[in-house]
Amino acid sequence: KEQARLFRPYHATRVILSTNVAETSLTLPGIDYVVDVGLARISRYNPGRRVNTLPIKRVSKAAANQRKGRCGRVKNGICVRLYSEEDFISREDFTAPEVLRTALTAVVLALKSRRLGEPEDFGFIDPPERKQLNAARQELKFLGALTDDNQLTNIGHALAKLPVDPRIGRMLYAAAHVEHCLPEMTILAASLEIPDPRLVPHESMQGAREHHKEQAKGRCDFFALLDLYARYSKQKKALSRKPLMNWCERHYLAPSRMREWQDLVKRLGRELSAFNTQKEHPQPASEEAVHRALLTGLLDQIAMKTDKGLYTGTFGKQLSIFPGSALSKTAPKWIMSAEMMETSQLFARTVAPIKTSWIETLAADLIRHEYSEPAWSQKSGHVLAFQRGYFLNLPIFSGRKKQYSHINPEEARALFIRDALVPGEINGTFEFIEHNLDQIDTVVKLEHKIRRHDVLVSEQTLVDFYTERLPENVLSESSLRKWLRTLDEPALERLCLTEADILKRALSDDERDLPDTLEYKDHALPLDYQYAPGEQHDGISTRIPLPLLNQLSQADFDKLIPGYLLEKIEYLIKSLPKVLRKKLAPLPETIAFIHQPLKQDTRPLLEAMADMLNLRAGLRADLHSDLFIKPSDFKLDNLPEHLTMKLVLLDEAGDELGRANNLQALQSH
């Protein structure tokens, strides 16, 4: 209507406000003046971000001259340019050809299907940049139309025959062969090939948007289009031309675009008749089926909602849902978009919610996997790692557990040996593992006994032991069992640790003279060794049955055990007053002199030591009483915990009744 008014006869001065469509599309009589701001929104495709943009740019000299030519056609006219002549001179001569500022997916597909060679070698008048062609090839790979070596797939050959954009063709292919929703997808495909028929007039923008959202009934934008098409088709059958146009006007619809939409649906229907695999009267397709079919063509136009309510899209895009969308308020976690257009900001237009499981299925070969925290799982019998999946750097899933042997067999085997075999953290019974654990436990106990951690070999030595003996394919419980069934007896024995395998050094006789029991008459009192310096339980403890308590004397425990006696002798001698210690020099020889006899002496330890030391030093009580060693001269106050026997009293049931460091305290208890 507004355009039609331009051609009516007029007598008053008129002011016409127009976009750059007036440069070449319309020739109006009677134009006396043109006022040119020198700017226009020029559509450009960004191949790096896969986004269509409508930036405001300076027009070229040719475009400016076209604007000037709108006046002076039938009489003299004046063009006023609102920019300097220097600005005009600095501009490009011509507007960049469309081939340099548009997506070339369909062009590359056509060249490949017609076997016209590589796009870089084709004789374009204005050759596009390599990044445009690479973006087109990558998009075709997302559509499943190209292989990694840039050869057409069966899907690619099928898309090349369809008279629609490759994205839309991929949706139709999936609708026909996989999702069985071709009737619905044909309608949507036609809607994506034409301008949106829903109008949002400037003078009633708010009302129009609210009306379109209300008609959508909270459904996604694609199903809102399906509902709109169904409503229009019903009205067209019932109404003549004029009432139908009035109906369109009341519902903010462009009648010409609605007619174009319906005509295109019919043409596509004829083209796709060979694709239709549904029955004659199919049931309406589910929303999920339609959405999955749509997603096949929109894999690189997905986005994930962020904490701030915005969306992160593929290729690092930050975007928002277009305010006119039916989903602008609900804002699903994941969306796909038929179009991403950048004006004041980047907007996703015509959107629908999606599930990440669909992405994982459709883009299985394009998902990048990361694995972290590999660890042995005794429950599963395998080394497992946490798996994360990314599609174009968007996290599709995380937290899944995956057998690490399929990802990194070498590291999985090392973890299996270190964390399963060496500590014996494995299900079931394996004789060689039980034998090896017993051997290790014996040495660990020995280290507690001798109070040193320099006997058992390192964990790495044990790891190396198994690494040398196990084949590379043994990296789980099941593979271990399978391999063991193939071994004979000598081969199984090679898996058993010997003392030589686990001892870091040879043991002295005293280190081996560390009994597990303390013999008393017909009783064997069990001994427990703990190497815990600074703790009260450090040293040796023995368990005494209650009936035996009053039959024992402190002398039975003062000597501890033969392996500890030497250290106790040395400490007790060093506790003597200095004047007495001088008489015993050199101390090593004195200690060696009394060590073996003390083992056999049945007297109390301090009494026997005093007599032997006096004898060694030639000290006599009747000559020099002040230089005569008495049992009371030995200082026991600061005796280390491990040189005092801990006594634990047990009742007949084996329950603890008390514990002390000397027998008298325990007897009085």
Side-chain angles (χ1 to χ4, degrees):
K1 283 184 179 181
E2 291 297 305
Q3 287 188 7
R5 289 175 58 195
L6 298 174
F7 298 96
R8 294 175 187 170
Y10 66 95
H11 303 286
T13 300
R14 295 186 304 172
V15 176
I16 300 170
L17 184 66
S18 175
T19 65
N20 56 323
V21 72
E23 288 177 13
T24 56
S25 298
L26 296 173
T27 298
L28 301 175
I31 299 297
D32 297 314
Y33 302 93
V34 168
V35 179
D36 178 18
V37 298
L39 302 172
R41 282 197 182 274
I42 300 176
S43 175
R44 291 185 180 274
Y45 178 69
N46 185 325
R49 299 172 66 209
R50 310 293 199 276
V51 169
N52 287 309
T53 63
L54 275 176
I56 297 175
K57 296 289 187 180
R58 298 190 308 168
V59 299
S60 65
K61 292 176 184 176
N65 288 331
Q66 283 285 350
R67 294 181 176 189
K68 180 183 68 173
R70 296 310 92 198
C71 67
R73 301 185 74 80
V74 295
K75 60 180 179 178
N76 291 336
I78 295 175
C79 175
V80 179
R81 288 174 174 154
L82 302 183
Y83 45 97
S84 68
E85 186 172 0
E86 290 78 7
D87 186 351
F88 176 80
I89 293 172
S90 68
R91 297 186 179 207
E92 295 179 352
D93 291 333
F94 299 96
T95 303
E98 189 174 359
V99 72
L100 301 181
R101 51 188 177 86
T102 191
L104 299 180
T105 310
V107 175
V108 172
L109 179 62
L111 292 174
K112 297 294 291 185
S113 66
R114 289 165 174 76
R115 299 180 181 178
L116 295 176
E118 292 302 318
E120 288 85 352
D121 302 327
F122 187 74
F124 289 103
I125 296 174
D126 296 289
E129 295 182 7
R130 180 176 291 272
K131 62 182 180 181
Q132 286 180 273
L133 298 174
N134 288 339
R137 276 190 283 257
Q138 188 175 15
E139 187 170 308
L140 288 172
K141 290 176 183 178
F142 291 151
L143 299 177
L146 274 186
T147 62
D148 288 339
D149 57 352
N150 295 322
Q151 300 302 312
L152 276 186
T153 64
N154 292 334
I155 292 177
H157 286 292
L159 299 188
K161 297 175 182 178
L162 295 177
V164 291
D165 181 86
R167 286 183 182 273
I168 297 173
R170 183 65 180 90
M171 300 174 192
L172 291 167
Y173 185 91
H177 293 88
V178 181
E179 302 298 346
H180 306 296
C181 56
L182 190 57
E184 291 85 357
M185 190 53 62
T186 303
I187 296 171
L188 292 175
S191 74
L192 297 176
E193 286 282 308
I194 64 170
D196 194 332
R198 293 167 294 189
L199 301 177
V200 184
H202 186 272
E203 64 275 8
S204 55
M205 184 182 299
Q206 187 65 28
R209 284 182 174 172
E210 289 180 358
H211 175 81
H212 292 316
K213 285 187 178 182
E214 182 180 346
Q215 292 296 315
K217 300 174 184 177
R219 305 181 79 183
C220 78
D221 294 339
F222 293 99
F223 273 84
L225 288 169
L226 289 175
D227 291 343
L228 173 59
Y229 187 85
R231 293 200 311 274
Y232 176 78
S233 299
K234 182 179 179 181
Q235 294 298 323
K236 188 175 182 181
K237 290 179 180 179
L239 301 175
S240 59
R241 181 174 177 276
K242 185 66 174 178
L244 182 61
M245 292 183 67
N246 292 336
W247 181 86
C248 288
E249 186 174 344
R250 290 195 306 273
H251 291 82
Y252 301 98
L253 301 173
S256 59
R257 293 179 183 175
M258 293 301 299
R259 288 195 300 272
E260 182 184 1
W261 187 4
Q262 200 169 54
D263 292 342
L264 186 53
V265 169
K266 292 177 182 178
R267 290 203 303 274
L268 280 177
R270 291 192 294 269
E271 295 279 354
L272 299 170
S273 57
F275 265 18
N276 197 345
T277 59
Q278 291 182 267
K279 297 179 181 178
E280 187 175 351
H281 300 290
Q283 294 294 324
S286 67
E287 288 195 17
E288 282 203 2
V290 174
H291 285 162
R292 286 194 298 267
L294 286 164
L295 184 58
T296 60
L298 301 175
L299 273 173
D300 60 342
Q301 297 199 170
I302 62 174
M304 178 186 71
K305 188 178 180 182
T306 62
D307 294 337
K308 297 180 180 179
L310 298 175
Y311 283 82
T312 297
T314 54
F315 307 105
K317 297 188 288 280
Q318 299 297 315
L319 55 109
S320 302
I321 296 177
F322 186 67
S325 169
L327 299 183
S328 61
K329 298 296 183 184
T330 56
K333 176 67 175 176
W334 285 86
I335 61 170
M336 61 180 167
S337 169
E339 180 185 19
M340 291 188 179
M341 178 63 72
E342 189 168 35
T343 52
S344 59
Q345 65 183 87
L346 184 58
F347 288 111
R349 302 172 66 101
T350 315
V351 299
I354 58 174
K355 296 179 180 179
T356 53
S357 59
W358 303 345
I359 304 170
E360 187 178 354
T361 300
L362 294 173
D365 296 337
L366 301 172
I367 290 178
R368 175 174 57 86
H369 297 97
E370 290 184 359
Y371 302 91
S372 63
E373 303 175 49
W376 166 249
S377 168
Q378 185 175 352
K379 181 178 180 181
S380 69
H382 293 273
V383 175
L384 303 179
F386 287 105
Q387 181 187 35
R388 296 183 180 88
Y390 296 87
F391 177 67
L392 298 178
N393 290 331
L394 292 177
I396 304 302
F397 63 83
S398 63
R400 294 182 184 174
K401 289 186 176 181
K402 184 82 172 177
Q403 287 188 21
Y404 200 52
S405 57
H406 300 324
I407 296 99
N408 190 332
E410 184 177 346
E411 187 177 353
R413 179 171 179 265
L415 289 171
F416 171 65
I417 291 173
R418 189 191 71 193
D419 296 338
L421 298 186
V422 171
E425 299 291 334
I426 190 169
N427 298 314
T429 300
F430 295 87
E431 291 185 4
F432 77 93
I433 292 180
E434 291 189 351
H435 167 84
N436 293 345
L437 291 178
D438 288 342
Q439 289 283 84
I440 293 170
D441 186 57
T442 298
V443 176
V444 170
K445 289 179 178 178
L446 178 62
E447 287 188 323
H448 278 274
K449 289 179 178 180
I450 66 175
R451 304 183 61 75
R452 296 177 64 173
H453 287 315
D454 62 349
V455 178
L456 181 64
V457 294
S458 67
E459 181 186 77
Q460 186 58 46
T461 302
L462 300 174
V463 168
D464 293 342
F465 173 86
Y466 286 118
T467 301
E468 292 171 3
R469 287 160 175 77
L470 267 62
E472 293 183 356
N473 62 341
V474 174
L475 32 66
S476 67
E477 179 186 322
S478 57
S479 60
L480 175 63
R481 292 185 185 278
K482 183 178 179 180
W483 176 66
L484 289 175
R485 288 195 291 267
T486 67
L487 302 184
D488 55 19
E489 195 63 32
L492 288 171
E493 289 180 0
R494 288 189 68 245
L495 296 174
C496 295
L497 290 165
T498 65
E499 185 178 271
D501 293 322
I502 57 177
L503 289 183
K504 192 181 295 184
R505 60 175 178 80
L507 298 174
S508 66
D509 292 339
D510 281 342
E511 287 175 331
R512 292 185 180 277
D513 193 6
L514 300 167
D516 292 322
T517 58
L518 185 65
E519 302 299 327
Y520 178 75
K521 296 182 179 179
D522 295 332
H523 298 278
L525 303 178
L527 296 175
D528 296 319
Y529 296 82
Q530 290 290 331
Y531 181 32
E535 303 293 334
Q536 288 187 351
H537 59 276
D538 184 31
I540 312 173
S541 62
T542 186
R543 287 162 281 172
I544 302 172
L546 182 60
L548 196 62
L549 178 62
N550 292 325
Q551 301 178 37
L552 300 169
S553 66
Q554 184 62 39
D556 298 318
F557 305 106
D558 283 344
K559 292 180 185 178
L560 298 171
I561 57 170
Y564 280 25
L565 182 59
L566 185 64
E567 184 180 358
K568 191 166 185 177
I569 292 171
E570 181 179 359
Y571 186 89
L572 290 173
I573 291 176
K574 288 181 178 180
S575 72
L576 291 171
K578 187 175 182 179
V579 66
L580 294 176
R581 289 203 309 274
K582 287 182 177 181
K583 296 294 184 180
L584 302 176
L587 287 184
E589 294 181 8
T590 300
I591 294 171
F593 176 79
I594 68 172
H595 180 210
Q596 291 301 326
L598 272 176
K599 286 183 179 181
Q600 311 301 324
D601 202 304
T602 58
R603 293 176 294 169
L605 177 64
L606 299 183
E607 179 183 335
M609 276 189 67
D611 286 350
M612 291 182 186
L613 291 174
N614 285 326
L615 178 63
R616 168 72 175 171
L619 302 177
R620 296 174 56 185
D622 56 339
L623 295 177
H624 303 285
S625 59
D626 57 335
L627 292 178
F628 184 76
I629 300 173
K630 302 179 289 300
S632 59
D633 290 329
F634 297 102
K635 300 295 186 291
L636 303 176
D637 295 342
N638 296 320
L639 193 67
E641 286 287 342
H642 70 282
L643 296 180
T644 301
M645 182 73 76
K646 279 76 176 169
L647 308 175
V648 181
L649 184 62
L650 304 178
D651 63 14
E652 294 180 356
D655 296 327
E656 183 178 322
L657 294 176
R659 62 176 59 215
N661 286 359
N662 63 80
L663 187 65
Q664 184 179 358
L666 200 61
Q667 289 170 336
S668 63
H669 176 75

